[in-house]
Amino acid sequence: MSIEEGKDSNRSVQSRVFPLRSLQCFVLFMVLGIGFLVLSMYYFGVQNVVNKTRPNSQSCFQVPVTLRQWIKPPLNLMHKMSDEELFWRATFLPRVKKYPFKRTPKVAFMFLTRGPLPLTPLWERFLKGHEGLYSIYIHSLPSYHPNFPPNSVFYGRQIPSQVTEWGKMSLCDAERRLLANALLDINNERFVLLSESCIPLYNFSIVYHYLMKSLYSFIGAFDDPGPYGRGRYNQNMAPEVNITQWRKGSQWFELNRKLAVSIVEDTKFYPKFEEFCRPACYVDEHYFPTMLTIQAANLVANRTITWVDWSRGGAHPATFGKNDITEQFLKKVLESHTCIYNNQPSPVCFLFARKFAPNTLGPLLDLAPKFFGY
Ligand SMILES: *[C@@H]1O[C@H](CO)[C@@H](O)[C@H](O)[C@H]1NC(C)=O
Ligand SMILES: *[C@@H]1O[C@H](CO)[C@@H](O)[C@H](O)[C@H]1NC(C)=O
Ligand SMILES: *[C@@H]1O[C@H](CO)[C@@H](O)[C@H](O)[C@H]1NC(C)=O
């Protein structure tokens, strides 16, 4: 047998053997295949049942993402984010300046309080009819549970809060926490810090337009050469903070969105103030005024819009009680000021005033229509 014949004969043997072998293989594969099919049908069937019992996991994939989902404010303010997570999320900034939807800018009223807000009936009246133009945020002691009725504009406006100590960094932390929570609502444009003793001095339209049309943010920032100003500066803050840049001002600020973000994102000045501005350096009087003077001097008015009476002297401004609330007193609070608003002299300098005791509520409600226009 030649080599070629041998190959051929081998081939013919193989070809004769093939049908039997391949039939065996075919049957084996059929059995395996059917088994696999049955198993997989059972498996996916169970999966389907599981999916049907969990409609959310399915709808997540089915509802297409719309812009609305990105721009709607959080429904529940009581999130589970840490400050670190919150500040990171709150400082997302769109790079495209034009909004691809109709944005109505809002004022965020941020209440920094320990417990109750006794003057809310006055605020409710001030805010009535202006829904959609403002938002409310409350930072109080974590142990305090407010009991606003569900129809109140203050209902459910509490943010996750922590204990604060006056004059310490924990107070600035609370203010940054308020700003960060308010930044999560993309429509908030102006951010007002208030206390439980604050009252509005004009009707909502005047306050709203005064803030929205302002070229500047309102924060007290002045260079005090004395012991309670420059005297509190610590050399260790250099080079981030130089003594000529050191500023003082009351904590009750009003900021636009840009400056609110710059305060929440700050990691440059924070450690310096935390370490080197401790009592008798009161960090809440220096951190934001100094930082904003360094970073954005051309955007700050260097004055506050929250009136307070220092005329009685002492370490604390006057607190007003029921008997102080007279027509003469309110006239004095509203008039007899001049200041600069958008580079022009203006008689309207203060939009809010403090410190009003809880028992002033009655007389204030009586006189508000005549003096405050609400
Ligand atoms: C607010 O007060 C101003 C000036 O007093 C007045 O012209 C305006 O009508 C008031 N607006 C509302 C909504 O009451
Ligand atoms: C502080 O800043 C001023 C103005 O920017 C500058 O002239 C001065 O040299 C600085 N001082 C120190 C100690 O860095
Ligand atoms: C506020 O003060 C800074 C200096 O600290 C100044 O550059 C800025 O122009 C002042 N703002 C206004 C509105 O005058």
Side-chain angles (χ1 to χ4, degrees), residues 247-261:
R247 291 292 181 279
K248 182 176 177 173
S250 116
Q251 73 189 117
W252 306 105
F253 57 69
E254 188 285 328
L255 302 172
N256 70 6
R257 197 170 173 94
K258 183 185 160 83
L259 296 192
V261 169

Side-chain angles (χ1 to χ4, degrees), residues 179-236:
L179 285 171
N181 280 282
L183 279 168
L184 296 181
D185 183 341
I186 203 157
N187 291 326
N188 285 331
E189 184 56 37
R190 309 287 310 203
F191 301 76
V192 191
L193 184 67
L194 300 158
S195 79
E196 69 270 33
S197 75
C198 284
I199 62 164
L201 293 178
Y202 293 93
N203 69 27
F204 186 88
S205 340
I206 293 184
V207 168
Y208 182 84
H209 289 110
Y210 194 96
L211 297 180
M212 289 304 167
K213 289 181 186 159
S214 174
L215 302 173
Y216 304 100
S217 292
F218 298 95
I219 181 165
F222 60 99
D223 183 3
D224 171 2
Y228 306 116
R230 286 197 183 202
R232 294 174 179 174
Y233 174 77
N234 182 325
Q235 289 290 340
N236 290 312

Side-chain angles (χ1 to χ4, degrees), residues 50 57 119 151 160 173 206 232 238 267-268 278 281-282 284 296:
V50 169
S57 65
L119 302 178
N151 63 350
D173 292 339
I206 293 184
R232 294 174 179 174
T267 50
K268 181 178 177 189
R278 295 190 174 177
C281 176
Y282 297 102
D284 56 290

Side-chain angles (χ1 to χ4, degrees), residues 43-200:
Y43 178 73
F44 284 116
V46 170
Q47 279 283 297
N48 266 339
V49 171
V50 169
N51 277 349
K52 268 172 209 152
T53 59
R54 285 186 303 179
N56 283 348
S57 65
Q58 224 172 8
S59 58
C60 271
F61 296 104
Q62 286 177 357
V63 175
V65 173
T66 61
L67 183 65
R68 245 186 74 79
Q69 284 169 265
W70 290 101
I71 62 180
K72 72 171 182 228
L75 283 177
N76 184 359
L77 296 188
M78 283 311 240
H79 55 73
K80 289 260 182 267
M81 284 184 276
S82 66
D83 279 354
E84 189 189 10
E85 293 167 338
L86 169 70
F87 290 10
W88 177 78
R89 175 66 188 88
T91 49
F92 281 16
L93 277 184
R95 304 274 299 178
V96 173
K97 294 293 169 252
K98 188 178 174 297
Y99 293 95
F101 58 94
K102 191 181 175 299
R103 177 178 184 258
T104 306
K106 293 195 285 187
V107 180
F109 295 105
M110 310 182 301
F111 289 87
L112 181 60
T113 126
R114 267 176 270 202
L117 294 170
L119 302 178
T120 44
L122 195 69
W123 282 94
E124 303 238 7
R125 198 199 273 174
F126 164 78
L127 296 167
K128 200 175 163 66
H130 303 284
E131 291 72 24
L133 297 179
Y134 67 86
S135 351
I136 291 171
Y137 300 87
I138 305 167
H139 187 290
S140 52
L141 284 178
S143 56
Y144 178 72
H145 299 287
N147 56 349
F148 296 110
N151 63 350
S152 164
V153 294
F154 289 88
Y155 179 80
R157 302 309 298 177
Q158 185 108 340
I159 63 159
S161 308
Q162 287 175 32
V163 174
T164 57
E165 285 179 276
W166 300 96
K168 301 226 178 124
M169 202 52 157
S170 58
L171 191 57
C172 297
D173 292 339
E175 294 170 14
R176 298 174 91 206
R177 204 172 292 127
L178 274 165
L179 285 171
N181 280 282
L183 279 168
L184 296 181
D185 183 341
I186 203 157
N187 291 326
N188 285 331
E189 184 56 37
R190 309 287 310 203
F191 301 76
V192 191
L193 184 67
L194 300 158
S195 79
E196 69 270 33
S197 75
C198 284
I199 62 164

